[in-house]
Amino acid sequence: MSTRHTHARRIVANIAADKRALIAGNPIAGIESLGYTVVAEAALTSKRGAGGWCDGLSFAEHNTVIYAPTPGSNRQNFTLLHEVGHILVEDDDSALVWLADRDNPEREVERLCDEIASALVVPEEMLDDIVGIGPLTAMDLKTLVTVSSASGPACAIALATRLSSGAVAIIDRATEIVAHSALCGDELQVYPWRGTNVPAGHPLLRLAAGAATTTRSYWLDRWDRRQDYYVSAVATEKRIYAVFSINDLWGVDRFHGGQAPPTKSNALRREIRCRCGFRGPVTGWPCPECGHLYCPECGDCDCQRRARMQELCGSCFCLTPAVDLVGGICSGCR
């Protein structure tokens, strides 16, 4: 079934790898390398609605992106790439068909462009380096915000793709308001959302600067509806970085509700391309003989793949690469 995430990843994957790398390092130069014109306009006179995050506009027919510069902030990078997302979506029939079936296409296209922008400014390779195979933690969010050229919203959106169901949030400690938030999953009824206050007396507000916690917690909305979460959080002087998960990613329940330091597996994570047609990231332990990971589709490692490419020579009866056989006889016997 098509989802917003699968469309975003597919659209981004259609951009050449070298151009994606350029976009991640220098968004304006990268966008211009795609043949688009980038125009800075300090005071935009019109804005797109439907909850879009961006201070920008795009004109697909002219391949032009206009944005309001935000000096000293990475927000303009996200703005630019969100607008590029609109141009890319306009040219993608599959995404347009999917959007047409949504209950609220205008809102969904904004969220799709948010995810495209996030995937461009925070490449999967960067997420792999920081998160590894998980579990995702609040420290990963803090690290990503620090080392990437992405804005807070872009980092939250990127990391939310690594959750099965939950939210990734950045909270302003001075105002006790959720500054940025990204959601994932259909089980969320009550959740931290951008611009909402942290519930009064919430344990996160007591987290000291420099401290971290992994525990069972909750969120309340303005009508006092409650949803329970497992939470990983880390605090700085100005912010609280938090990951809210419906599932116990960090083994909190094994510690009877106490705080459990998240542990990450040492299993390898690599991109593989198998002859069965599978191509993508794989996590696991490699074959002790060939050192390659097993394909999740056909179950083969490189040993089995090589073996299937060999046949018996009709003269010496040794296994020989099939391409070396002529009339069933290997080159050593001919």
Side-chain angles (χ1 to χ4, degrees), residues 23-331:
I23 289 171
N26 187 335
I28 292 179
I31 292 168
E32 291 175 339
S33 76
L34 298 177
Y36 301 149
T37 300
V38 179
V39 178
E41 179 59 57
L44 292 176
T45 57
S46 59
K47 292 183 179 180
R48 180 183 292 110
W53 246 104
C54 301
D55 300 323
L57 294 169
S58 57
F59 300 93
E61 64 272 24
H62 301 299
N63 281 348
T64 298
V65 175
I66 302 176
Y67 73 102
T70 53
S73 168
N74 286 331
R75 180 176 176 178
Q76 72 179 34
N77 294 337
F78 189 62
T79 296
L80 284 164
L81 295 173
H82 175 100
E83 297 306 327
V84 168
H86 277 282
I87 297 176
L88 295 172
V89 169
E90 282 289 324
D91 197 38
D92 191 280
D93 290 342
S94 295
L96 292 175
V97 170
W98 177 79
L99 286 166
D101 289 335
R102 301 302 96 193
D103 292 336
N104 190 333
E106 289 187 353
R107 182 183 64 185
E108 284 296 337
V109 73
E110 295 301 324
R111 296 180 70 183
L112 175 58
C113 291
D114 277 352
E115 196 151 326
I116 291 170
S118 175
L120 285 169
V121 78
V122 185
E124 286 289 324
E125 295 80 7
M126 182 180 292
L127 287 181
D128 290 342
D129 288 342
I130 292 175
V131 180
I133 63 168
L136 169 66
T137 68
M139 185 58 72
D140 295 329
L141 174 59
K142 178 177 178 291
T143 301
L144 185 60
V145 170
T146 302
V147 304
S148 74
S149 60
S151 62
C155 292
I157 292 167
L159 286 174
T161 64
R162 298 296 177 98
L163 276 177
S164 57
S165 186
V168 177
I170 301 175
I171 297 168
D172 184 282
R173 299 191 68 182
T175 62
E176 299 183 357
I177 290 176
V178 178
H180 311 300
S181 177
L183 310 179
C184 185
D186 299 323
E187 304 174 54
L188 309 183
Q189 302 297 321
V190 178
Y191 43 80
W193 189 237
R194 183 176 69 248
T196 59
N197 291 89
V198 179
H202 196 282
L204 287 181
L205 298 177
R206 298 194 295 271
L207 198 61
T213 184
T214 308
T215 187
R216 297 177 74 169
S217 192
Y218 64 93
W219 196 262
L220 296 175
D221 65 12
R222 60 191 299 182
W223 298 281
D224 287 333
R225 294 182 302 178
R226 173 179 173 133
Q227 181 148 7
D228 291 329
Y229 288 99
Y230 296 93
V231 177
S232 168
V234 61
T236 65
E237 290 290 342
K238 295 183 178 180
R239 293 176 172 178
I240 298 171
Y241 300 90
V243 178
F244 295 77
S245 176
I246 294 293
N247 304 309
D248 185 6
L249 302 179
W250 307 287
V252 173
D253 285 343
R254 294 201 308 269
F255 291 80
H256 309 289
Q259 296 180 7
T263 57
K264 296 190 177 184
S265 170
N266 292 321
L268 295 177
R269 180 182 175 88
R270 292 177 181 167
E271 185 91 10
I272 72 167
R273 178 185 293 177
C274 183
R275 290 182 176 273
C276 73
F278 174 82
R279 179 179 180 180
V282 174
T283 300
W285 303 106
C287 167
E289 298 296 327
C290 66
H292 287 256
L293 293 175
Y294 298 92
C295 172
E297 293 291 334
C298 66
D300 286 353
C301 64
D302 211 43
C303 297
Q304 295 151 315
R305 287 190 284 269
R306 284 200 302 264
R308 278 206 298 272
M309 295 172 63
Q310 296 179 324
E311 296 179 11
L312 285 175
C313 170
S315 177
C316 65
F317 302 105
C318 293
L319 282 173
T320 304
V323 295
D324 186 50
L325 296 174
V326 176
I329 306 300
C330 71
S331 58

